[in-house]
Amino acid sequence: MTASTVRSVTHDLLRKLDLTTFFGNPGSTEETFLKDFPKDFTYHLALQEASAIAIADGYAQATGKPALVNIHTAAGLGNAMGNLVTASLNKTPLIVTAGQQTREMLLMEPWLTNVEPTMLPRPWVKWAYEPARPEDVPAAFMRAYATAVQAPAGPVFLSLPLDDWDKPFSGPPAVVRTASRRSAPDPERLRDFAALLSGAAAPALIFGAAIDRGHGWPAAVALAEKLGATVFAAPASERAPFPEDHPLYAGGLPFAIGPLAEHLKGHDVAIVIGAPVFRYYPYVPGDYLPEGLRLLHISDDPAETARAPVGDSLVGDAVLATQALTDLVTAPASPAKASRHPPLEQRMAPHKPRHPGPAPGGKGGLPTAADVFAALAEVRPAHAVLVEESPSNLADLHHWWPITEPQTFFTFASGGLGWNLPASVGIALGERATGRNRPVLLVVGDGSFQYSLQALWTAAQNRLPMVFLVLRNGEYGILKSFAVLEETPGVPGLDIPGIDIVSLAKGYGCEAERITDLAALKRKVTAAFSGPGPCVIEVPISPDIPPLI
């Protein structure tokens, strides 16, 4: 009988936790963990650690299960940090592991030592740990799993010395435990909130990404319809919390202090459920709330409720709270059937579209982003999943592509570029793993496209039938918008000429084409969704500078 090792006991634990799909980019300090990789495990290779984190994040969000990411010691963790920030703010349960140097050499800090391994990923992980003894490794994974999935969910980090894995395991095995992923709200305080909403003359519901993460669209619709309340999406929401074709839906709130308060005028009670109060950027001064408005706030994250500058808070699961409120509130005699605000043309986006009407055409004979999105809308496949990272074109995209089904819209919660391209690959992998196989479309700007370009290779190697639509305006358009708002003319580095996107995509194994004719674009997109692998389409567009507020 083969003696148990730290590696074999850990692998057995991971099987029991259904954590047999790995994402990573291996290094010399990780190979001992990956030695004799089990045939019943799957390893998805990313060519850089930032891509590995975001692919795992997208996969975890698409499947609803935690994901395991293996990256390379301190240097790899450094590469991964930008997308680890996004995973933290996305509240995605990830178990991030990195190799550590051999225990016998740690005192002298040899090459590739992670000198303070539990400090490097903070504050963007819920827990960071390096096991004190090799035999503690399996139990550390169990604690990492429980910590990652418990509310509020988020990434955790384990630093694992490379010489631990072949050590004999003689102690008791880690006990597999289950952990609740939801926290129930205080019923007494919930009744107080329900009374305030029931007595409101003009209530407003502000839903956030936690509604979509928790499969809460039906609950959100039920509460809105019972109260006849106007519904807003929380500012800069990373997921769509409410059907955008519902008559009570007004759109997304702006993400600046003064304009947001202005938008809530006329309401006497508003409740934010499943989002921060509020996600602000840029700074536009003003009152946090309009006069006469009482704000309530429900989140499963006590840090989120504590840092809110205004509002009475309640800690609890967003969907459980929404369901309970629906039972507790008293419907008005004649609840409103439609929003008190005209629906915003830009839907979730924080600013108005430049071209809400018929497609107008752009400068130099190039189509505008709105032209492109209007064409896409004509060939939008059923149940398509949209992932976007094109900040300067948000309003036009959301105008032409309303989100009408749950879990069909994803973007970054952090605002840090480079997450969405690899995340879309993870989402497509998740669609395959769950058997849903919904078509996945990434809309990305040419600047954003460069940050985690390596993820195209993972899409190609897995032959994912997805479409990457790259809008080529040759500039950081969103930064030019900030330059206008911040009155900072003459900023260098805002133009990015000379990039051959088609050649880059082909180099990673993707089908790729540059298209300027919109009829040809529609034909190509339609064909690509049923193609044998990923397709990158570069579309040169007219450079426009959008408003931010």
Side-chain angles (χ1 to χ4, degrees):
M1 180 176 177
T2 304
S4 295
T5 63
V6 170
R7 183 191 301 106
S8 66
V9 173
T10 301
H11 283 170
D12 287 343
L13 173 69
L14 294 177
R15 287 187 181 95
K16 293 171 183 175
L17 293 174
D18 195 22
L19 282 174
T20 58
T21 299
F22 286 37
F23 301 86
N25 182 267
S28 55
T29 54
E30 291 70 46
E31 287 182 302
T32 53
F33 176 35
L34 302 173
K35 174 184 173 182
D36 297 327
F37 196 67
K39 288 183 169 50
D40 58 328
F41 284 25
T42 301
Y43 188 91
H44 290 294
L45 174 63
L47 300 184
Q48 207 258 14
E49 289 90 353
S51 290
I53 291 283
I55 292 171
D57 188 342
Y59 182 86
Q61 291 199 55
T63 61
K65 301 190 300 183
L68 196 152
V69 196
N70 184 235
I71 56 180
H72 182 42
T73 191
L77 183 56
N79 288 338
M81 281 303 296
N83 281 334
L84 187 60
V85 171
T86 298
S88 177
L89 294 173
N90 285 348
K91 298 187 177 177
T92 303
L94 298 181
I95 300 172
V96 182
T97 69
Q100 173 64 295
Q101 258 295 0
T102 307
R103 287 183 186 271
E104 280 77 0
M105 295 197 297
L106 280 178
L107 181 61
M108 39 185 191
E109 297 181 10
W111 208 35
L112 295 179
T113 299
N114 195 345
V115 176
E116 294 191 23
T118 63
M119 295 300 295
L120 183 55
R122 296 181 189 274
W124 303 109
V125 292
K126 294 179 65 180
W127 182 59
Y129 184 66
E130 184 173 278
R133 308 173 302 163
E135 54 265 45
D136 293 334
V137 169
F141 268 95
M142 186 62 247
R143 179 172 171 182
Y145 177 90
T147 305
V149 301
Q150 288 181 125
V156 297
F157 175 75
L158 292 176
S159 172
L160 303 170
L162 67 88
D163 58 324
D164 283 359
W165 299 105
D166 282 321
K167 298 284 175 65
F169 188 89
S170 57
V175 177
V176 176
R177 301 179 292 112
T178 59
S180 173
R181 302 182 66 169
R182 310 175 82 178
S183 56
D186 171 23
E188 183 176 349
R189 191 158 178 81
L190 203 61
R191 285 192 290 272
D192 293 341
F193 280 19
L196 289 166
L197 288 167
S198 298
L205 304 177
I206 303 167
F207 289 123
I211 294 292
D212 196 47
R213 282 196 297 269
H215 304 273
W217 275 33
V221 170
L223 179 60
E225 290 180 348
K226 186 171 183 180
L227 285 172
T230 296
V231 175
F232 298 99
S237 184
E238 65 272 22
R239 293 175 66 160
F242 200 82
E244 296 194 317
D245 56 352
H246 194 284
L248 288 170
Y249 180 72
L253 290 171
F255 58 172
I257 295 171
L260 190 152
E262 186 69 24
H263 213 75
L264 290 176
K265 280 185 175 178
H267 294 283
D268 53 348
V269 177
I271 185 167
V272 179
I273 305 179
V277 173
F278 284 106
R279 192 169 280 156
Y280 293 125
Y281 194 78
Y283 177 62
V284 179
D287 294 327
Y288 285 115
L289 300 172
E291 186 176 354
L293 175 66
R294 175 123 184 225
L295 185 71
L296 311 174
H297 181 208
I298 299 175
S299 169
D300 68 0
D301 186 349
E304 197 165 84
T305 59
R307 66 175 176 262
V310 289
D312 300 312
S313 63
L314 170 60
V315 175
D317 182 86
V319 179
L320 292 179
T322 302
Q323 292 168 336
L325 282 173
T326 304
D327 292 335
L328 291 170
V329 296
T330 302
S334 300
K337 300 298 182 183
S339 166
R340 293 174 173 83
H341 297 260
L344 297 175
E345 295 170 324
Q346 71 268 26
R347 307 184 200 277
M348 284 182 68
H351 51 78
K352 293 181 179 179
R354 284 161 289 173
H355 306 297
K363 303 170 186 174
L366 293 174
T368 65
D371 294 330
V372 175
F373 300 144
L376 283 177
E378 295 179 26
V379 295
R380 175 178 177 173
H383 316 302
V385 177
L386 173 66
V387 188
E388 65 82 9
E389 191 174 300
S390 183
S392 59
N393 301 299
L394 284 184
D396 290 317
L397 174 59
H398 284 287
H399 174 77
W400 290 102
W401 193 288
I403 309 302
T404 57
E405 294 180 60
Q407 300 181 326
T408 57
F409 173 77
F410 298 86
T411 191
F412 45 14
S414 66
L417 300 181
W419 180 84
N420 291 52
L421 193 161
S424 70
V425 176
I427 290 166
L429 286 169
E431 287 295 319
R432 176 179 287 175
T434 59
R436 288 189 305 256
N437 294 310
R438 296 179 298 179
V440 177
L441 168 69
L442 170 72
V443 175
V444 63
D446 51 352
S448 298
F449 187 68
Q450 309 308 318
Y451 281 75
S452 300
L453 186 64
Q454 306 90 343
L456 291 178
W457 181 87
T458 305
Q461 292 297 306
N462 284 279
R463 301 182 67 80
L464 297 173
M466 56 187 303
V467 177
F468 301 93
L469 182 73
V470 186
L471 299 173
R472 181 83 171 101
N473 60 8
E475 63 184 13
Y476 292 124
I478 194 67
L479 294 182
K480 291 189 175 183
S481 296
F482 274 103
V484 172
L485 180 73
E486 296 169 346
E487 299 179 357
T488 54
V491 175
L494 302 188
D495 294 301
I496 47 173
I499 300 174
D500 188 341
I501 288 169
V502 170
S503 294
L504 290 170
K506 287 182 175 179
Y508 283 108
C510 295
E511 179 188 1
E513 186 175 346
R514 181 179 295 107
I515 297 177
T516 56
D517 177 73
L518 295 180
L521 173 65
K522 289 188 284 187
R523 291 193 295 271
K524 187 67 176 180
V525 168
T526 300
F529 277 127
S530 57
C535 180
V536 176
I537 304 172
E538 176 189 352
V539 182
I541 61 169
S542 173
D544 291 327
I545 308 303
L548 282 175
I549 301 298

